[in-house]
Amino acid sequence: MNKVILVVLDGLNAKTAHTYMGFLEHLIENNQCAAYRMNAELPAQSRPLYEVIQTGVPSYLNGIVSNGTVRRSKETSVFQLAKAAGLKTGAASYHWVSELYNKAPFNPMTDRIQLDTDQAIENGLFYYEDHYPDSHLIADGAYLINEKQTDYILIHSMNIDDIGHKFGSQSKEYVQAAVRMDALLANYLMDWLKKGYQVVVTADHGMNEYCTHNGVTEEERQVPLYIFSDKVTVGDCRETLVPQLQLAPLLCYLLAIEKSAAMQDLTFI
């Protein structure tokens, strides 16, 4: 099948993922996926990198240059390409994703639940508090997968990032947030694969010890990339540092749809 679930774990750096997320590491050890490191674009901020992930266009060209840039995207996203190809799109994510691809500004009174729309994200469940529980978020995504039969869905969590901003990347709290997400994925991932989904797990950016992210350090820029797909050779390839601009064309490849003209050619698999 050409269905894809993209899981974005906001604020998760590669070092923490590869050290403490034991379920995902178990699947690497047993050759169940391909594992890379990905180098996030700059600035290493959330809203600009949501746009990079979905469009493959860097910030200086796409115009989403900070978290304060609140407007619809002007680029062609994977959501749009998938919908144009007749695929069903969905997102269980932070409300900034809705602002980029469906409605801006986001109104929490009317825009939290967006089902069966004609927008780029046809079915969306959007939250607007950073501490919205990851357990609820993953359940929201599972609902859209099961009830709306989405072909391309984004599941985007904020708890790791939220904890990182409070305690920093060297804290026990940050590690514990990553461990909790690893356990949540363990409860869902194998079922998604049995249903024929390809699954990509990554992050937008990392986190540093000073409770922030924006710069060029490895902690802020290097994030994990796990790919579960029979279209990609399995194995531990983490010596390879993949540019984040490669993620959008990868998603198009997995969905078997044409990438946009603005996206790079896919080169790392």
Side-chain angles (χ1 to χ4, degrees):
M1 289 188 181
N2 298 318
K3 296 183 176 184
V4 172
I5 299 169
L6 172 63
V7 180
V8 174
L9 307 179
D10 207 293
L12 175 65
N13 64 41
K15 180 181 178 181
T16 299
H18 297 158
T19 304
Y20 296 107
M21 299 187 83
F23 173 68
L24 290 174
E25 292 300 306
H26 162 71
L27 296 177
I28 295 170
E29 285 187 357
N30 287 275
N31 294 312
Q32 297 300 301
C33 68
Y36 294 85
R37 287 177 301 131
M38 179 166 280
N39 201 45
E41 280 287 296
L42 293 173
Q45 290 286 321
S46 291
R47 196 189 298 257
L49 297 185
Y50 302 164
E51 175 77 339
V52 167
I53 288 170
Q54 296 296 333
T55 71
V57 179
S59 290
Y60 81 96
L61 290 176
N62 68 45
I64 306 297
V65 296
S66 77
N67 285 342
T69 309
V70 182
R71 64 163 173 79
R72 290 280 301 277
S73 169
K74 297 179 180 179
E75 305 297 329
T76 302
S77 69
V78 179
F79 290 117
Q80 290 169 290
L81 294 169
K83 184 182 176 186
L87 303 180
K88 295 181 180 179
T89 61
S93 72
Y94 197 56
H95 68 287
W96 288 358
V97 173
S98 174
E99 289 181 326
L100 281 167
Y101 306 111
N102 277 16
K103 298 179 179 182
F106 181 88
N107 183 343
M109 295 181 68
T110 59
D111 298 340
R112 164 143 166 69
I113 299 173
Q114 302 177 36
L115 300 178
D116 303 313
T117 75
D118 60 358
Q119 302 291 335
I121 303 172
E122 294 169 294
N123 291 285
L125 298 175
F126 300 102
Y127 61 98
Y128 46 87
E129 293 180 334
D130 292 17
H131 58 275
Y132 184 73
D134 279 349
S135 57
H136 293 42
L137 180 276
I138 297 289
D140 290 346
Y143 167 82
L144 295 176
I145 290 166
N146 295 330
E147 300 301 322
K148 296 300 180 180
Q149 302 295 303
T150 50
D151 299 301
Y152 173 58
I153 182 170
L154 167 66
I155 300 177
H156 165 234
S157 82
M158 284 293 286
N159 284 183
I160 297 170
D161 183 77
D162 183 47
I163 292 296
H165 283 301
K166 294 172 180 173
F167 300 100
S169 63
Q170 301 301 310
S171 67
K172 65 180 181 181
E173 291 86 356
Y174 182 76
V175 170
Q176 288 166 351
V179 169
R180 285 193 295 270
M181 175 51 76
D182 186 63
L184 283 170
L185 287 175
N187 289 332
Y188 287 91
L189 181 57
M190 304 312 293
D191 180 61
W192 292 340
L193 296 175
K194 288 177 182 178
K195 290 179 177 177
Y197 281 90
Q198 302 163 99
V199 180
V200 177
V201 181
T202 188
D204 51 348
H205 54 72
M207 182 68 63
N208 65 31
E209 62 183 305
Y210 304 115
C211 306
T212 191
H213 50 81
N214 186 62
V216 301
T217 67
E218 287 188 7
E219 278 196 316
E220 294 167 272
R221 293 193 75 177
Q222 291 190 17
V223 299
L225 176 62
Y226 304 92
I227 307 170
F228 298 83
S229 171
D230 59 8
K231 297 181 180 181
V232 178
T233 302
V234 300
D236 190 343
C237 306
R238 285 177 286 191
E239 72 281 357
T240 301
L241 186 60
V242 177
Q244 196 172 44
L245 293 173
Q246 286 278 293
L247 188 52
L250 170 68
L251 295 169
C252 291
Y253 168 71
L254 298 179
L255 289 165
I257 60 178
E258 291 293 324
K259 69 180 184 64
S260 76
M263 293 177 187
Q264 294 182 348
D265 291 332
L266 185 60
T267 59
F268 78 96
I269 60 170

